Amino acid sequence: EERFADDPALQVELLGTVSGIYRELGEEDRHKALVARRLAVAQRYPGRFETAKIEALFDEVGDSYDASRVKQVDALMQQADELLHQAGLDDSALRARWWLTRGQTMGSGPAQLNASKAAFEAAINLYENVAPRDPGHVTALIELGVTYFYRGDNRGAIVLYQRALKADETVDGRDDGEMQTIYGNLGIAYMNVGEFVPAVSAYQKVVELADRTYGKQHKDYWYPAANHARVLHLSGERLRADAMYEALIGVMPDPATNLDAMVQTESYGASLSAEGRPELALRWLEPAER
């Protein structure tokens, strides 16, 4: 506001970037305060920064969405829809984001899954036409894959996750957290169809990304590491799987003091039980039960 007082476009851009960082950090008060400052700058120049209000509405939808606020979310989406149309942005990346957000707020019932699928397909088609390198393109492909997964179509989900990986190769600003989601979803889908070799490979990618991004002491590393060990165990590589479980337990709290750690020790216990080693399995299953 001091150095760029005569450059409102740069102010709007920087405030948007910094507010997004605080949103990702979970510092909601700071995020909302910066969004308000951004809108205040934009509103001083009517007709020049029309997208700022629309982007703020999308953020508000993401912050407020849950099953008890469906009407509030619908009203926000309707408002964003009208602003997009008024601004002549129906063939833009922002409209594609509208379809993506619409799909994400549909719910998970059978009818809602069909509606979500249609919304994600609309988002993907628009991204491919107007903004193929937008990060939202990758997100929309992942979300569409998830709808296939929930409908029991693991093969269809795998195709979409592979498309997401392909799109991610050229995206502007790759998100390693989202890459973990893609590879993790791939691992689950491959495991569900009994293809353990590509499942192991997918989980290996997730573990590498999680280690580099969060470190072994972080809960977001424990979950993919346990899944990697479990799929190895299911594929018959028991010694390697047991060694990975033991290494994971070595970096988690002992005794496990939170749900994230308990879920992973329970996974180890289930694998030991399947091996016919019940006494050792109970060592990990009983604390989880308690």
Side-chain angles (χ1 to χ4, degrees), residues 59-241:
D59 280 352
E60 192 174 349
V61 167
D63 294 339
S64 66
Y65 178 69
D66 62 49
S68 67
R69 297 184 179 181
V70 172
K71 289 184 179 179
Q72 180 183 351
V73 166
D74 286 345
L76 292 168
M77 290 300 294
Q78 178 65 32
Q79 189 179 352
D81 181 39
E82 292 169 359
L83 289 172
L84 282 163
H85 188 64
Q86 291 167 12
L89 293 170
D90 285 324
D91 291 316
S92 69
L94 210 52
R95 171 58 80 180
R97 183 179 171 188
W98 185 91
W99 280 114
L100 171 58
T101 306
R102 178 77 280 181
Q104 290 170 325
T105 58
M106 286 288 187
S108 57
Q112 289 84 359
L113 275 177
N114 286 333
S116 294
K117 179 175 177 290
F120 294 138
E121 287 170 344
I124 291 165
N125 289 336
L126 195 48
Y127 276 125
E128 288 176 347
N129 287 330
V130 302
R133 295 177 59 176
D134 191 291
H137 183 204
V138 177
T139 305
L141 286 164
I142 297 170
E143 295 283 15
L144 183 58
V146 171
T147 68
Y148 275 73
F149 176 81
Y150 281 133
R151 290 151 65 103
D153 185 357
N154 286 281
R155 293 287 182 191
I158 288 169
V159 169
L160 284 156
Y161 298 147
Q162 294 286 10
R163 283 179 63 188
L165 287 174
K166 183 78 173 173
D168 200 67
E169 291 174 2
T170 58
V171 76
D172 292 326
R174 194 186 85 177
D175 181 345
D176 277 2
E178 199 158 55
M179 287 286 285
Q180 286 180 230
T181 298
I182 300 171
Y183 280 116
N185 288 357
L186 262 177
I188 294 169
Y190 275 126
M191 195 161 60
N192 285 348
V193 298
E195 295 187 14
F196 292 107
V197 172
V200 168
S201 177
Y203 276 123
Q204 177 65 42
K205 292 279 190 183
V206 185
V207 170
E208 290 170 359
L209 285 164
D211 190 9
R212 186 168 73 238
T213 307
Y214 300 107
K216 290 183 174 64
Q217 279 69 39
H218 196 280
K219 64 182 180 64
D220 287 343
Y221 172 84
W222 305 340
Y223 183 76
N227 277 343
H228 188 204
R230 177 153 178 75
V231 74
L232 276 169
H233 196 273
L234 288 168
S235 71
E237 294 194 49
R238 292 181 175 181
L239 292 177
R240 186 179 168 198

